């Protein structure tokens, strides 16, 4: 089904009207309030996106519509300008790593090679033993933690050093949370 606010953001684009959204940023696992001058709505990689000028970031941003948790029409008319250079049948890339965005090399077992089909990669190399070495731009460590937890033992961070223990520390935090819940359930 379409996400709850899809019709609302489409209307805002057509009306050239600024909207305020409550947005869940998955990479940081944080809710933020954003004022957005909407420019385009499109479907890519299995999700709907809103592209426009974000006043909080003071730059063009893309927002997944299914991560919008609330919206408010402002009635403010805005210019319908946006920097996305779109052909009639294409969508802009959904992730624009900056030059200073950390790059992380991950070795994955063949069973986890699906990552190369789902996430933007900067380098892919198959090793003689069949593992696949992938270089990813990682703007938020929390995003990489979730990916590594999802893949489990089929992924190992190769470099840089600070990211090598990311999966283990995330798994420890999750296990501690479960232990606290189990202890509370046992005592209550």
């Amino acid at each position: 089904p379409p996400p709850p606010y899809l019709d609302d953001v489409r209307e805002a684009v057509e009306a050239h009207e600024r909207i305020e959204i409550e947005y869940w940023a998955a990479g940081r696992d944080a809710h933020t309030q954003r004022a957005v001058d909407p420019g385009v709505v499109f479907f890519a990689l299995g999700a709907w996106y809103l592209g426009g000028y974000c006043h909080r970031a003071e730059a063009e941003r893309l927002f997944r519509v299914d991560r919008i948790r609330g919206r408010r029409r402002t009635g403010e008319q805005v210019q319908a300008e946006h920097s996305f250079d779109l052909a009639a049948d294409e969508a802009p890339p959904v992730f624009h790593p900056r030059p200073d965005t950390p790059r992380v090399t991950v070795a994955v077992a063949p069973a986890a090679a699906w990552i190369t089909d789902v996430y933007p990669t900067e380098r892919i190399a198959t090793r003689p033993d069949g593992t696949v070495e992938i270089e990813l731009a990682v703007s938020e460590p929390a995003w990489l933690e979730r990916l590594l937890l999802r893949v489990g033992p089929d992924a190992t961070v190769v470099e840089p050093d600070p990211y090598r223990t990311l999966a283990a520390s995330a798994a420890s935090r999750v296990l501690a949370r479960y232990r606290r819940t189990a202890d509370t359930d046992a005592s209550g």
Side-chain angles (χ1 to χ4, degrees):
Y5 295 104
L6 180 59
D7 289 338
D8 294 319
V9 296
R10 282 180 168 159
E11 289 173 12
V13 169
E14 290 175 20
H16 308 292
E17 181 182 339
R18 179 173 298 145
I19 58 174
E20 291 180 356
I21 60 173
E22 179 183 334
Y23 187 72
W24 176 61
R28 292 186 309 280
D29 190 24
H31 289 266
T32 58
Q33 297 291 328
R34 311 274 184 136
V36 179
D37 297 349
V40 63
V41 176
F42 63 91
F43 186 81
L45 301 173
W48 284 97
Y49 290 86
L50 165 66
Y53 183 82
C54 174
H55 290 269
R56 183 172 189 257
E58 297 181 345
E60 291 280 336
R61 290 291 186 262
L62 291 175
F63 301 95
R64 275 188 44 171
V65 176
D66 62 329
R67 293 182 182 160
I68 296 174
R69 300 296 187 245
R71 69 99 192 106
R72 185 181 75 79
R73 296 183 76 153
T74 66
E76 296 175 60
Q77 294 294 298
V78 297
Q79 291 289 2
E81 297 176 18
H82 56 83
S83 63
F84 301 115
D85 185 19
L86 302 175
D89 62 345
E90 82 180 340
V94 294
F95 178 57
H96 302 280
R98 295 185 292 269
D100 63 342
T101 299
R103 275 34 180 200
V104 178
T105 302
V106 180
V108 299
W114 56 265
I115 292 171
T116 63
D117 296 328
V118 177
Y119 299 105
T121 56
E122 298 200 354
R123 184 179 56 80
I124 302 169
T126 303
R127 294 173 168 178
D129 67 355
T131 60
V132 180
E133 199 168 275
I134 304 166
E135 184 176 309
L136 302 161
V138 178
S139 62
E140 294 290 340
W143 172 84
L144 183 59
E145 282 181 339
R146 284 193 303 278
L147 178 62
L148 293 171
L149 289 173
R150 180 176 175 193
V151 177
D154 285 338
T156 304
V157 173
V158 176
E159 61 181 6
D161 283 337
Y163 287 84
R164 286 185 182 190
T165 59
L166 199 63
S169 66
S172 293
R173 286 194 318 274
V174 171
L175 286 172
R177 210 176 280 159
Y178 278 106
R179 285 186 188 114
R180 282 193 304 271
T181 302
D183 291 345
T184 302
D185 291 345
S187 67

